[in-house]
Amino acid sequence: MIHRQIDVALGDRSYPIYFGKGFGSSFAPTCQQHGIPERIVILTDSNVAHHYLDPIEKNLRHFKFSVSSIVIPPGEHQKSLSRANQIYTQLLKEGVGRKSAIVALGGGVVGDLAGFVAATYQRGVTLVQVPTTLLAQVDSSVGGKVAVNHPLGKNMIGSFFQPRFVWIDADTLSTLPAREVVCGLGEVAKYGVVFDAEFFAYLETNLERIQQLDPELMLTVQARCCELKAHVVSEDEREQGLRIVLNYGHTVGHALEAAGSYRVLKHGEAVLLGMAAESFIARELGLLPPGDHERIMKLVQRFPLRFGKNSFAPARVLAALTRDKKSIDGKARFVLPVRLGEVQVVDEVGSPVVRASLRQLADVFGTK
Ligand code: ADP
Ligand code: ZN
């Protein structure tokens, strides 16, 4: 069953995002409608496979697809060239040809890795994204960014490669660990601040029910985020301009993640903290009215985000900031809110104000 559809307009690479329900029934017919090649390889991780691989495989076989699957261990370090290479080997050994499709069934890690493999294997095969984390559903599965990590940096090897369609299945959220829900909602809140004050207010009103994954509210939230992301991607597929606004919360967020060697904070948690820090910076620079800053802080504080004060150590975070791949000549680039629903790109942010924002994070979110 398909509840809703949102289109990503990219000329002949346009594609729909379906909000569906039923790996056991509706997924395979949707593949047929899209002329997905008969030969399908599902790439997934062991956690996701445990819950969802069986019904999706059965459904595809029932509709006469020839299906095999590759199950990798979970975790960010799977996003590597060596893992991609292993997958190429397996595809070659199985005789998977150009006229085949890769279905990415999983969170952002699986989506990025499977997308990267699909973009490069025999110069590109068909890709279908089936994101199963909230974060991947509202953010990473839409827009065609695919990548693996390099020892010297995350997502350093990659491309833009759009899927044939995205399938967001309502059933997948029920098994998602609580911390992953928080992470997804971090990106959700970001969309409110960057584009849509009304959506931000909706989150303020309904956050508890959303955190409990109320299906009706979740559909509204996912659809709104995808609509906003689809718009940005169709205006700026390759991040030459507008797409950078999605980086709000990410300049400080990435630095916080890196400062903790990616072990302390998960991406969405770091984004929430980054949103708090960057709205503080915006207020200090006189860009953001104090009332709006307070609303952003209050929303962020409603999430379970308590970390050791060390996570906010200014020297480490500042060092990571200048290494960010989006920084220009070692200067970090900030996307700062000027009011709820609107942001501005600012290149000149002095380190004293960044330090002050980190002190504030430590005061508000730091333990011991
Ligand atoms: P992200 O989407 O945040 O980048 P990952 O791909 O690393 O995240 O997925 C986060 C974790 O959640 C992984 O351990 C993954 O196996 C697990 N996971 C993904 N989707 C589900 C789901 N629907 N139910 C249970 N666990 C899931
Ligand atoms: Zn993000």
Side-chain angles (χ1 to χ4, degrees):
M1 195 159 46
I2 292 171
H3 296 293
R4 226 172 137 169
Q5 174 180 342
I6 286 166
D7 294 311
V8 184
L10 284 169
D12 58 359
R13 278 166 296 112
S14 297
Y15 59 92
I17 305 164
Y18 295 116
F19 298 85
K21 194 170 160 67
F23 285 137
S25 54
S26 329
F27 180 69
T30 308
C31 289
Q32 276 185 336
Q33 277 156 28
H34 280 273
I36 301 300
E38 219 174 85
R39 180 72 177 94
I40 289 182
V41 180
I42 301 172
L43 190 84
T44 188
D45 74 29
S46 51
N47 293 333
V48 179
H50 173 71
H51 297 291
Y52 306 109
L53 185 55
D54 219 36
I56 207 172
E57 277 186 342
K58 280 203 179 105
N59 183 225
L60 285 166
R61 288 196 180 115
H62 185 72
F63 282 83
K64 308 287 179 253
F65 287 96
S66 154
V67 191
S68 62
S69 55
I70 298 177
V71 181
I72 61 170
E76 180 73 27
H77 54 280
Q78 294 300 320
K79 258 176 69 174
S80 66
L81 272 178
S82 62
R83 177 58 74 188
N85 196 37
Q86 253 178 28
I87 297 169
Y88 298 141
T89 305
Q90 197 163 337
L91 295 175
L92 287 166
K93 281 187 172 163
E94 283 184 25
V96 175
R98 287 191 71 176
K99 219 176 146 355
S100 55
I102 292 183
V103 171
L105 172 69
V109 168
V110 165
D112 281 8
L113 174 66
F116 180 79
V117 168
T120 47
Y121 182 70
Q122 301 198 4
R123 299 202 183 85
V125 296
T126 300
L127 173 67
V128 175
Q129 289 279 8
V130 185
T132 61
T133 62
L134 181 58
L135 190 132
Q137 291 171 346
V138 298
D139 200 42
S140 57
S141 71
V142 176
K145 277 192 183 178
V146 300
V148 294
N149 299 328
H150 186 277
L152 295 181
K154 282 184 73 168
N155 298 323
M156 285 294 142
I157 319 292
S159 185
F160 291 91
F161 190 72
Q162 302 296 343
R164 193 69 67 80
F165 69 91
V166 180
W167 178 271
I168 295 178
D169 202 292
D171 289 338
T172 56
L173 292 180
S174 62
T175 53
L176 201 61
R179 212 173 154 191
E180 302 298 335
V181 175
V182 172
C183 283
L185 291 177
E187 302 283 357
V188 167
K190 175 190 81 175
Y191 285 101
V193 178
V194 174
F195 298 108
D196 189 344
E198 207 177 299
F199 183 56
F200 187 89
Y202 179 85
L203 298 176
E204 288 178 315
T205 309
N206 298 297
L207 193 67
E208 277 65 39
R209 275 176 68 201
I210 293 168
Q211 281 180 312
Q212 287 155 16
L213 304 175
D214 177 295
E216 212 180 303
L217 272 71
M218 277 329 279
L219 181 61
T220 304
V221 163
Q222 290 166 322
R224 184 66 187 136
C225 293
C226 285
E227 211 165 54
L228 290 164
K229 176 115 191 211
H231 172 72
V232 172
V233 169
S234 60
E235 294 280 311
D236 178 25
E237 185 181 8
R238 301 179 79 91
E239 199 165 308
Q240 312 278 306
L242 175 66
R243 194 162 173 172
I244 189 154
V245 299
L246 294 176
N247 230 38
Y248 165 58
H250 283 63
T251 304
V252 172
H254 281 147
L256 289 167
E257 275 183 283
S261 305
Y262 299 96
R263 281 191 292 268
V264 181
L265 291 168
K266 286 184 171 282
H267 177 71
E269 294 167 338
V271 168
L272 279 164
L273 295 166
M275 285 171 54
E278 291 172 15
S279 65
F280 174 90
I281 293 168
R283 188 197 71 185
E284 288 300 290
L285 297 181
L287 295 170
L288 179 69
D292 285 355
H293 169 250
E294 201 179 314
R295 283 176 68 189
I296 295 171
M297 280 304 290
K298 282 218 165 107
L299 191 78
V300 174
Q301 283 177 268
R302 286 163 71 185
F303 292 97
L305 296 167
R306 306 291 293 167
F307 298 97
K309 278 206 161 68
N310 253 347
S311 321
F312 310 107
R316 296 197 66 177
V317 181
L318 283 164
L321 259 184
T322 51
R323 283 197 305 267
D324 194 298
K325 79 167 179 300
K326 288 190 177 105
S327 64
I328 295 169
D329 300 331
K331 267 216 181 82
R333 162 165 270 206
F334 286 82
V335 176
L336 299 178
V338 295
R339 62 182 179 83
L340 289 172
E342 192 181 336
V343 291
Q344 186 182 311
V345 178
V346 180
D347 287 319
E348 300 296 325
V349 177
S351 48
V353 61
V354 180
R355 268 176 212 282
S357 76
L358 297 171
R359 274 198 301 278
Q360 197 216 24
L361 284 186
D363 287 344
V364 179
F365 300 100
T367 56
K368 54 181 184 329

